[in-house]
Amino acid sequence: SGATLYLSGNVLITLQDIDLIHNGTITVAVNGRFSFTGSVNSNISGSQQPAFNEMEIAKTGTNKLLLQRPIDVNGKIVFTSGLIDLNNNNINLGNTAFLETENENSRVIGSNGGQLIFTTTLNAPASANPANLGAIITSSQNLGTVSISRGHKSQINGYGNGNSVLRYYDINPTNNTGLNATLRLQYLDAELNALTENSLVFWKSSNTTSW
């Protein structure tokens, strides 16, 4: 408790089948990376919120890294193998971090809630995919500062029933009138949530309550 781990330079720390209990401070000078590997589930917990520069999930099969608390990532999250379970916690990507090589077999899940959160400025974006979150935005207008949150909990529709694919987005631009934007949403087959793909319909909300 209260200790500082200082990474100087391009340092790789591999935690194989080890939990990270973060009660102190991680300071990364340049490009340090934490790689979570192994053949069993691991946890990130502790009293202090960790701030990673680079973070890699490299678990075998469908083994997971479970978040027991929110975390910050300043550089990128690299998906090699295995899953990151939000477990009703958020990953704050700030305004610089991004997802790299997320795929069907190595991805973020979060059936209990939690979100990936990224903030950026979008002025007349052309097929912009901020942080590689899979929300692709095109507009001739200036949206200003935009908060994009991606979750993986099944949603219900405005009638209080139904279920969705295991991915949704909350997109909140500063300039929120007259945007005339085109939005494309990506999802993985593993997120279909037992739904037939050709029967999917699109739901949207201006207040995140009435869909």
Side-chain angles (χ1 to χ4, degrees), residues 60-197:
T60 59
T62 58
N63 289 293
K64 299 183 291 186
L65 174 64
L66 291 96
L67 302 188
Q68 305 295 343
R69 63 155 303 115
I71 66 172
D72 297 332
V73 179
N74 300 317
K76 62 183 177 180
I77 301 176
V78 179
F79 295 86
T80 300
S81 56
L83 308 171
I84 298 176
D85 191 340
L86 296 175
N87 193 33
N88 202 29
N89 292 284
N90 293 335
I91 297 178
N92 180 16
L93 300 172
N95 56 15
T96 55
F98 60 94
L99 310 185
E100 183 175 276
T101 61
E102 189 179 23
N103 60 80
E104 295 286 348
N105 299 312
S106 186
R107 63 190 192 279
V108 176
I109 63 174
S111 60
N112 293 327
Q115 294 181 320
L116 298 136
I117 302 172
F118 183 73
T119 302
T120 188
T121 300
L122 294 177
N123 291 328
S127 298
N129 184 9
N132 290 334
L133 288 175
I136 301 170
I137 301 170
T138 299
S139 178
S140 61
Q141 306 298 312
N142 291 339
L143 284 68
T145 301
V146 181
S147 172
I148 302 174
S149 301
R150 191 183 96 186
H152 294 272
K153 184 177 181 178
S154 179
Q155 303 294 292
I156 59 175
N157 61 29
Y159 301 102
N161 54 37
N163 61 297
S164 74
V165 298
L166 298 176
R167 181 183 292 211
Y168 70 91
Y169 294 89
D170 293 334
I171 302 174
N172 296 295
T174 300
N175 304 325
N176 55 13
T177 59
L179 293 179
N180 191 28
T182 298
L183 174 65
R184 295 175 56 216
L185 302 182
Q186 296 179 333
Y187 60 89
L188 298 170
D189 288 345
E191 297 169 334
L192 278 172
N193 196 21
L195 298 172
T196 302
E197 193 165 31

